[in-house]
Amino acid sequence: MSGSGMRSVSIGLPTEVKQGEQRVALTPSAVALAIQRGHRVLVQAGAGRGAGFPDAAYETVGAKLVDDAAEVWSTDVVVKVKEPQETEYAHLRDGLTLFAYLHLAAEPALTTVLVDSGARAYAFETLTDRHGLPLLAPMSEIAGRAAAIVGAAHLSSVHGGSGTLAGGAAGVPPAKAVVIGMGVAGTMAARGLRGLDAHVTGVDVDLQRLYDHHLDGTIDATQVSEPELVGSHIRDADVVIGAALVPGARAPVVVAEEHVASMRPGSVVVDLAIDQGGCVATSRPTSLAAPTFVAHGVVHYCVTNVPGQFPRTASSALSAAVAPRLLHLADDVAAGRAGTHDGSPALPGALNVADGVLIHPAVADAFPQHPRSDTT
Ligand SMILES: NC(=O)c1ccc[n+]([C@@H]2O[C@H](COP(=O)([O-])OP(=O)(O)OC[C@H]3O[C@@H](n4cnc5c(N)ncnc54)[C@H](O)[C@@H]3O)[C@@H](O)[C@H]2O)c1
């Protein structure tokens, strides 16, 4: 029993199976918080190893280490980083509460499996608070910083790029970068590219956001997000960063194929929005093992788990944001409040699927073939 007299629940922390994924959703100190609250935590052996957290660190705080993924998935609440992969679909079942990144608008097969399974699925990326999207923001911050690094690096001829150095040289203008969507990820990418002395144009539908960024010097120029106007900047761009988001929905396609085709050969697209389907028409998902492809002579970097390659930083940042919400979710599951449309008041916007029904309105809009909650 927990200190509050509430029923305790079991929490499972599986090892990630997505290609190249080294993150873990909870650090040992976060697991300690759940155990102090009276919950039981099962950690799959090796879950934290890639992020620098050995099994012994979890055992020391009182977690039970298990080898078998199925045993971890048999707990009341499974918390993990990436959306379940095909090999994990068999673990999804009635009575399970899942708390993870889901990106369902870009995952039709997973959505069908979740609806059919009866599981309750809470998505990190749609949870809202008065500041925005608190469980997406830490990874967007990291992915944005990484996008500046990989974008500039792939301009090198060694990586098939045009051989343009981001900052230029005396008498030679800098590279031109266009950032689509000046939210958390776009802002960090713009800062990184400006730090390399590239010329950065920020694109958004939110004019107030563009105004603020222009005033604070994050970007050199602003452009409202109208595809034809954006296209004229894309033609001259050396690097395009895709980071536009409408929470829960498929990403808006802001850059048309003809605009990609108009770019100089060896220019680079880094489409972070690929996890929601991509905001560049020519984007398709790639992996950390094979991160790029070339289309119309343009190098495309469309990795769906960019922070997965920085697991030490990313796991600590993610765990810090997830842990307090997980404790609320576990309390709600213990009290029988979770899974109802107005349940889990501490996790507004996070519930995507429950009892065979799509709950989040934008996810439900993306899949009209599935039943949706009456209240969405
Ligand atoms: N690939 C990865 O590994 C990875 C990692 C982290 C985040 N992401 C993704 O990056 C994307 C951005 O996340 P974020 O946290 O920065 O979101 P955010 O909500 O902070 O910012 C999104 C921005 O997009 C703008 N926008 C919406 N529609 C637009 C349009 N049509 N044209 C231009 N701008 C538009 C919004 O006004 C907002 O400023 C998301 O899809 C997120 O899932 C990807």
Side-chain angles (χ1 to χ4, degrees), residues 23 82 103 125 133 136-137 139-141 143-144 180-187 203-206 209 225 242-247 251-254 271-276 302-308:
R23 283 173 288 178
K82 287 309 287 181
H103 301 291
E125 74 275 7
L133 302 165
L136 182 62
M139 295 306 97
S140 291
E141 184 184 349
I180 315 282
M182 285 297 298
V184 176
T187 300
V203 176
D204 209 298
V205 284
D206 183 339
R209 194 159 266 188
S225 185
L245 174 69
V246 177
V253 179
V254 180
D271 196 351
L272 296 177
I274 192 65
D275 57 1
Q276 293 286 145
C302 302
V303 173
T304 51
N305 57 335
V306 171

Side-chain angles (χ1 to χ4, degrees), residues 85-97:
Q85 305 295 294
E86 257 181 77
T87 54
E88 296 172 315
Y89 287 179
H91 300 307
L92 301 172
R93 59 180 161 82
D94 197 9
L96 171 72
T97 297

Side-chain angles (χ1 to χ4, degrees), residues 187-348:
T187 300
M188 297 317 289
R191 278 176 55 122
L193 287 161
R194 283 232 57 220
L196 295 170
D197 288 337
H199 177 280
V200 180
T201 299
V203 176
D204 209 298
V205 284
D206 183 339
L207 297 183
Q208 182 63 42
R209 194 159 266 188
L210 290 180
Y211 175 77
D212 291 344
H213 283 312
H214 206 201
L215 274 196
D216 70 19
T218 311
I219 43 184
D220 299 289
T222 63
Q223 173 61 61
V224 66
S225 185
E226 291 173 16
E228 281 312 311
L229 299 176
V230 173
S232 64
H233 294 276
I234 300 298
R235 193 174 45 236
D236 293 334
D238 297 288
V239 183
V240 174
I241 309 287
L245 174 69
V246 177
R250 197 215 175 277
V253 179
V254 180
V255 179
E257 178 157 7
E258 66 189 271
H259 296 138
V260 174
S262 73
M263 294 173 76
R264 184 184 303 115
S267 301
V268 176
V269 166
V270 180
D271 196 351
L272 296 177
I274 192 65
D275 57 1
Q276 293 286 145
C279 64
V280 177
T282 43
S283 296
R284 57 175 161 79
T286 60
S287 65
L288 286 167
T292 60
F293 63 91
V294 176
H296 297 295
V298 175
V299 179
H300 288 60
Y301 183 101
C302 302
V303 173
T304 51
N305 57 335
V306 171
Q309 65 195 299
F310 301 104
R312 283 185 74 89
T313 303
S315 301
S316 295
L318 181 61
S319 176
V322 164
R325 276 100 183 177
L326 173 68
L327 296 182
H328 285 297
L329 180 59
D331 286 352
D332 284 347
V333 170
R337 282 192 300 268
T340 53
H341 182 55
D342 56 350
S344 306
L347 292 107

Side-chain angles (χ1 to χ4, degrees), residues 22-242:
Q22 297 282 316
R23 283 173 288 178
V24 64
L26 297 177
T27 61
S29 58
V31 167
L33 293 176
I35 290 171
Q36 284 158 17
R37 190 110 159 181
H39 302 303
R40 255 178 0 107
V41 182
L42 270 64
V43 176
Q44 191 174 350
R49 198 175 298 142
F53 304 112
D55 291 347
Y58 290 98
E59 254 175 336
T60 302
V61 299
K64 182 182 174 202
L65 263 288
V66 294
D67 287 322
D68 184 18
E71 194 179 343
V72 179
W73 279 92
S74 70
T75 50
D76 299 315
V77 180
V78 165
V79 58
K80 70 189 299 296
V81 182
K82 287 309 287 181
E83 69 280 352
Q85 305 295 294
E86 257 181 77
T87 54
E88 296 172 315
Y89 287 179
H91 300 307
L92 301 172
R93 59 180 161 82
D94 197 9
L96 171 72
T97 297
L98 174 65
F99 194 31
Y101 288 112
L102 297 176
H103 301 291
L104 292 183
E107 291 283 339
L110 173 60
T111 305
T112 302
V113 174
L114 277 173
V115 167
D116 292 347
S117 73
R120 296 174 198 135
Y122 289 81
F124 291 166
E125 74 275 7
T126 57
L127 189 147
T128 52
D129 70 4
R130 65 197 164 88
H131 302 294
L133 302 165
L135 294 188
L136 182 62
M139 295 306 97
S140 291
E141 184 184 349
I142 290 170
R145 287 188 194 278
I149 298 169
V150 298
H154 281 82
L155 279 177
S156 146
S157 58
V158 172
H159 291 294
S162 64
T164 306
L165 185 62
V172 182
K176 286 190 175 168
V178 176
V179 179
I180 315 282
M182 285 297 298
V184 176
T187 300
M188 297 317 289
R191 278 176 55 122
L193 287 161
R194 283 232 57 220
L196 295 170
D197 288 337
H199 177 280
V200 180
T201 299
V203 176
D204 209 298
V205 284
D206 183 339
L207 297 183
Q208 182 63 42
R209 194 159 266 188
L210 290 180
Y211 175 77
D212 291 344
H213 283 312
H214 206 201
L215 274 196
D216 70 19
T218 311
I219 43 184
D220 299 289
T222 63
Q223 173 61 61
V224 66
S225 185
E226 291 173 16
E228 281 312 311
L229 299 176
V230 173
S232 64
H233 294 276
I234 300 298
R235 193 174 45 236
D236 293 334
D238 297 288
V239 183
V240 174
I241 309 287

